[in-house]
Amino acid sequence: MAEVSMRIGELAERTGVSVRALRYYEEQGLLTAQRSGSGQRHYEGNAIGRVRLIQQLYAAGISSAAILEMLPCVVTGVAAPQVMDKLVGHRSSVVKQIEELQETLLQLDNVIANATEAYATGKPCPPA
């Protein structure tokens, strides 16, 4: 049985996402809440996982419109071919971002090593 008593503040606290962001997710159709008689939002327990997924997809540079298109696939496990194509395309983009970040990390490690040596020896860092 799904938990239905989680209010927006609790969901924000449990996911580390601001209340404002959760409201935005609702405006975009990414998240739904039931309303109490007094208008308070109440979320099911699965909202935590959904918010975390939305955050991960945003972090990967995926737009809210694309996320909205993907979410039914996540919920039902059924995807149209065009959604699959977009998912694969977004995955390729994430892989490229990871590769670029790995290269940046290698460069940063080199700068740190040179700076550490320069600090220890008093000699200036070699030119890049």
Side-chain angles (χ1 to χ4, degrees), residues 25-41:
Y25 296 168
E26 277 192 63
E27 289 171 10
Q28 297 301 305
L30 303 173
L31 186 64
T32 58
Q34 295 183 2
R35 296 287 185 139
S36 69
S38 62
Q40 293 179 334
R41 293 171 171 89

Side-chain angles (χ1 to χ4, degrees), residues 12-71:
E13 184 177 316
R14 292 178 71 178
T15 59
V17 175
S18 71
V19 168
R20 183 176 179 191
L22 295 175
R23 288 184 183 128
Y24 174 78
Y25 296 168
E26 277 192 63
E27 289 171 10
Q28 297 301 305
L30 303 173
L31 186 64
T32 58
Q34 295 183 2
R35 296 287 185 139
S36 69
S38 62
Q40 293 179 334
R41 293 171 171 89
H42 291 271
Y43 299 91
E44 295 182 6
N46 65 359
I48 295 169
R50 189 175 186 118
V51 168
R52 289 183 179 148
L53 174 63
I54 292 166
Q55 285 292 108
Q56 290 170 335
L57 295 172
Y58 271 134
I62 300 172
S63 70
S64 59
I67 294 170
L68 183 60
E69 191 174 7
M70 292 176 201
L71 284 176

